Amino acid sequence: TDYKARHDKVSAAVHWSLCKEYGFDHSSKWYEHRAEKVLENDSVKLLWDFHVQSDHVIEHCRPDLLLVKKKTKEAVIIDIAVPGDVRITEKEQEKILKYQDLKREIKTVWQLRKVSVVPIVIGALGTITPNFRRYLDSVSCKLRVSNLQKTALLGSAHILRKVLEI
């Protein structure tokens, strides 16, 4: 759907930034980036929209991005949302709570020291929460906030043009 396409464009921009940060091949421009499902080098593993297998039934086991830092034995579950602007704070909390079971599971099974959940929530018209930059910084995402806002807004404009048949 167009909503998923808008979401995936924002996710791909974050993925591009992580590829750049951790030395993976990436396009020169973030908006041309095509994410690969699994990327791995000596220091990190980066998973895109990857179903995490588990011995237990875990309802939410497919985060948008999963970054595993091998040397420090840490993982970051990154989940992205582009809801209506009035719902961004609520959605941010929802994302954190949604992945608590997966967080516990991969910490135990993968024998990690620390696992954190980072919600990256940007409103359909570009509104962000006060935590937004801090969350981006916590995963070393060096993209400008305005570029992510533009991506969400252009996706919303595309949806509106289609709905209104302009």
Side-chain angles (χ1 to χ4, degrees), residues 112-130:
L112 298 170
R113 195 177 57 76
K114 181 182 171 194
V115 179
S116 54
V117 178
V118 174
I120 295 180
V121 179
I122 184 162
L125 301 178
T127 305
I128 57 171
T129 66

Side-chain angles (χ1 to χ4, degrees), residues 32-113:
E32 294 172 347
H33 184 66
R34 298 283 172 258
E36 286 186 46
K37 203 99 169 132
V38 179
L39 293 171
E40 188 168 7
N41 61 23
D42 291 340
S43 58
V44 298
K45 184 189 296 187
L46 180 59
L47 307 173
W48 162 275
D49 194 29
F50 192 86
H51 179 88
V52 178
Q53 294 291 329
S54 169
D55 294 338
H56 302 95
V57 175
I58 295 178
E59 189 178 352
H60 305 288
C61 56
R62 190 184 202 109
D64 295 318
L65 297 163
L66 182 54
L67 177 68
V68 181
K69 300 174 184 176
K70 296 175 181 180
K71 290 181 174 83
T72 58
K73 296 184 93 36
E74 295 178 40
V76 185
I77 297 167
I78 304 167
D79 209 51
I80 294 158
V82 187
D85 288 54
V86 295
R87 294 188 55 238
I88 59 171
T89 305
E90 170 192 331
K91 187 57 96 170
E92 202 173 72
Q93 289 307 306
E94 184 184 304
K95 292 289 184 186
I96 292 168
L97 292 173
K98 177 179 173 179
Y99 286 105
Q100 292 305 306
D101 289 341
L102 181 63
K103 175 182 166 178
R104 279 190 293 278
E105 182 72 7
I106 65 174
K107 184 176 184 194
T108 305
V109 175
W110 296 357
Q111 298 176 334
L112 298 170
R113 195 177 57 76

